[in-house]
């Protein structure tokens, strides 16, 4: 189906099912319960799950297949965002042209950056990409202020009159898909549960599924095999007469275009762009996402992106008041002691929890969350096999 092997098609169906049913899956607790704090099924966070999943999938095509570690990939996210916002400010408020502009601008920028940085490999390549990203951030923050808006960034204003819009005087335009507002939502109440279905989320989800499908095709293609050969032994590949550089440049550009797609979608969901999207910490975040989920795997980067964005938006919101509600059943002295122990790992200290989890994954699960899932599946499979073999062994007559 769709040119995929059975196993890959089944994986695509699983990802599609989880994505489409996310409003239900991410809201497991009733709104009135204390555990509702852990619900993540609201539009803004769901959009970030899939958008940064796209960003991580693209980064994995470069890092996971070729082994080239970029420390400046957020530059393409930012350039794509700026391209998309200018398309919306000047031409149309429809998100489709804006997203395509983000992809194109990022792709062109990736060609220029890749042509220079791919002259080196290893740590030298990583440092070069970091340098380009920081130069891009500095340009966006100060030098190119008329284009980027500087520190305050860019957003759609009441003075903007896109060429293909019919806004009234003083009206602030809104991102839309052929007239459908990206913020349009439908709420479903089922008992104490509240499920929100957002138009912007499902548009981003469709883009993520298309990106995931394309990534599968790349991984299984002869081009993907060439990239794995580059990662395995680039020198030996060169001795066979094959030039690895065009393939690495192609992977770099494709990865940059994925980042541009993510940047365009960020603008489509929230029409405001700032230079902070290009800062080095944003580049480091996508590295963490990919390693945490599983480098070189298909679904790993999506899982890693979801895990980090969940902690950033859910774990960081748990404060002492919430903890006091949870542990109110304990004696006062014990309650304060427990809260004192837990509090450094949540709220503003959520990075500490992320760091500990990342270290444990790197040490005990080098294959990321995907390897953890595979180990659990193998353990359950062995247990099931032993349970099935046990009765049979007991009923067989002795010889």
């Amino acid at each position: 189906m769709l040119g995929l092997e059975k196993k890959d098609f089944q994986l695509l169906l699983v990802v599609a099912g989880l994505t489409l049913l996310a409003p239900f899956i991410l809201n497991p607790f009733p709104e009135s319960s204390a555990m509702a704090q852990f619900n993540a099924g609201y539009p803004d966070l769901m959009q970030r799950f899939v958008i940064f999943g796209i960003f991580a999938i693209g980064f994995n095509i470069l890092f996971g297949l070729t082994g080239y570690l970029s420390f400046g990939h957020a530059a393409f996210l930012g350039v794509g965002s700026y391209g998309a916002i200018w398309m919306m400010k000047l031409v149309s408020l429809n998100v489709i042209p804006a997203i395509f502009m983000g992809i194109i601008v990022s792709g062109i920028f990736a060609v220029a950056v890749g042509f220079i940085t791919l002259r080196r490999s290893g740590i030298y390549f990583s440092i070069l990409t970091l340098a380009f990203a920081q130069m891009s951030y500095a340009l966006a923050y100060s030098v190119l202020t008329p284009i980027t808006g500087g520190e305050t960034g860019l957003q759609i204003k009441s003075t903007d009159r896109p060429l293909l819009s019919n806004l009234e005087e003083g009206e602030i335009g809104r991102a839309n898909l052929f007239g459908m507002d990206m913020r349009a939502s439908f709420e479903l109440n089922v008992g104490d549960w509240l499920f929100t279905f957002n138009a912007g989320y499902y548009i981003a989800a469709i883009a993520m599924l298309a990106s995931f499908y394309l990534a599968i095709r790349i991984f299984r293609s002869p081009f993907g095999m060439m990239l794995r050969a580059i990662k395995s032994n680039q020198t030996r590949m060169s001795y066979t007469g094959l030039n690895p550089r065009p393939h690495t440049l192609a992977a770099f550009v494709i990865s940059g275009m994925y980042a541009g797609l993510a940047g365009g979608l960020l603008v489509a969901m929230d029409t405001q762009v700032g230079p902070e999207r290009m800062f080095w910490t944003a580049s480091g975040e996508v590295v963490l996402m990919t390693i945490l989920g599983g480098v070189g795997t298909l679904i790993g980067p999506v899982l890693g992106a979801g895990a980090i964005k969940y902690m950033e938006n859910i774990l960081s919101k748990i404060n002492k008041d919430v903890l006091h509600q949870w542990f109110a059943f304990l004696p006062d002295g014990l309650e304060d002691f427990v809260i004192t122990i837990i509090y450094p790992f949540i709220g503003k200290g959520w990075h500490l929890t992320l760091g500990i989890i990342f270290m444990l994954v790197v040490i005990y699960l080098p294959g990321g969350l995907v390897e953890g899932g595979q180990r659990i599946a193998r353990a359950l499979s062995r247990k099931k096999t032993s349970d099935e073999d046990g009765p049979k062994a007991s009923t067989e007559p002795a010889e």
Side-chain angles (χ1 to χ4, degrees):
M1 290 291 289
L2 301 176
L4 303 178
E5 297 179 358
K6 182 179 179 181
K7 186 177 180 181
D8 291 333
F9 183 69
Q10 290 174 345
L11 178 62
L12 180 63
L13 288 180
V14 169
V15 174
L18 293 175
T19 303
L20 296 176
L21 297 176
F24 297 104
I25 298 171
L26 296 176
N27 271 347
F29 305 110
E31 292 294 310
S32 57
S33 71
M35 298 301 289
Q37 172 74 36
F38 294 100
N39 284 345
Y42 52 91
D44 181 66
L45 183 52
M46 291 194 298
Q47 289 166 10
R48 290 184 176 275
F49 283 160
V50 294
I51 292 173
F52 281 91
I54 293 172
F55 189 21
I57 290 171
F59 181 79
N60 190 46
I61 291 174
L62 176 66
F63 180 40
L65 290 182
T66 70
Y68 277 74
L69 176 58
S70 170
F71 284 149
H73 232 58
F76 306 116
L77 182 75
V79 167
S81 296
Y82 281 118
I85 192 67
W86 274 111
M87 174 61 77
M88 297 183 74
K89 288 170 74 71
L90 297 177
V91 181
S92 173
L93 293 170
N94 192 318
V95 298
I96 299 298
I99 291 171
F100 276 104
M101 178 57 68
I103 296 172
I104 293 169
V105 172
S106 293
I108 295 172
F109 186 55
V111 171
V113 174
F115 183 78
I116 298 172
T117 58
L118 288 170
R119 295 175 182 271
R120 294 290 180 266
S121 59
I123 189 62
Y124 304 103
F125 167 80
S126 301
I127 295 301
L128 281 173
T129 55
L130 176 61
F132 267 100
Q134 285 303 98
M135 286 190 293
S136 301
Y137 169 77
L139 288 172
Y141 193 83
S142 57
V143 180
L144 299 179
T145 299
I147 300 175
T148 63
E151 181 181 2
T152 57
L154 293 174
Q155 59 183 341
I156 297 177
K157 301 179 180 179
S158 59
T159 55
D160 292 328
R161 287 293 177 270
L163 185 64
L164 302 180
S165 68
N166 54 355
L167 298 176
E168 298 180 0
E169 189 68 27
E171 182 182 359
I172 299 176
R174 293 180 179 177
N176 64 81
L177 178 66
F178 303 109
M180 181 176 62
D181 194 334
M182 292 296 95
R183 297 178 298 178
S185 297
F186 168 74
E187 293 185 348
L188 174 65
N189 282 288
V190 180
D192 291 333
W193 281 266
L194 176 65
F195 306 107
T196 304
F197 304 88
N198 176 257
Y201 164 73
Y202 279 104
I203 291 169
I206 291 171
M208 195 275 283
L209 291 174
S211 302
F212 189 74
Y213 169 76
L214 180 59
I216 296 176
R217 297 301 300 267
I218 291 173
F219 268 65
R220 306 303 185 218
S221 68
F223 172 66
M225 293 181 65
M226 291 291 290
L227 297 182
R228 288 190 179 91
I230 292 171
K231 181 179 181 179
S232 176
N233 195 320
Q234 188 171 157
T235 303
R236 185 179 298 172
M237 183 178 175
S238 300
Y239 286 159
T240 64
L242 296 172
N243 184 4
R245 192 174 177 194
H247 297 89
T248 53
L249 179 60
F252 190 86
V253 173
I254 291 171
S255 185
M257 293 174 74
Y258 266 79
L261 170 59
L265 286 168
L266 282 175
V267 172
M269 304 309 143
D270 179 14
T271 52
Q272 185 170 359
V273 182
E276 69 279 352
R277 290 184 186 176
M278 309 171 78
F279 199 53
W280 68 269
T281 53
S283 296
E285 191 175 58
V286 74
V287 177
L288 292 179
M289 291 174 181
T290 307
I291 295 176
L292 183 63
V295 177
T297 63
L298 286 167
I299 198 173
V302 180
L303 297 177
I308 289 180
K309 287 301 169 184
Y310 181 87
M311 286 190 286
E312 179 184 341
N313 290 271
I314 301 297
L315 204 62
S316 64
K317 291 182 179 179
I318 302 176
N319 53 35
K320 285 189 175 181
D321 292 336
V322 175
L323 291 178
H324 279 293
Q325 293 177 7
W326 290 352
F327 298 105
F329 64 93
L330 296 174
D332 291 342
L334 182 59
E335 176 185 347
D336 293 338
F337 175 75
V338 171
I339 292 174
T340 301
I341 296 298
I342 295 176
Y343 186 68
F345 299 92
I346 59 173
K348 294 181 180 180
W350 74 272
H351 288 95
L352 179 58
T353 303
L354 175 61
I356 294 172
I357 292 174
F358 186 74
M359 286 192 298
L360 293 174
V361 167
V362 170
I363 295 171
Y364 298 105
L365 295 174
L369 297 176
V370 170
E371 182 182 343
Q374 291 171 343
R375 288 188 183 183
I376 293 172
R378 285 196 296 267
L380 293 176
S381 178
R382 286 196 297 268
K383 182 179 180 182
K384 182 179 179 181
T385 302
S386 63
D387 290 342
E388 291 176 351
D389 292 344
K392 291 181 180 178
S394 63
T395 56
E396 288 181 359
E399 295 183 359

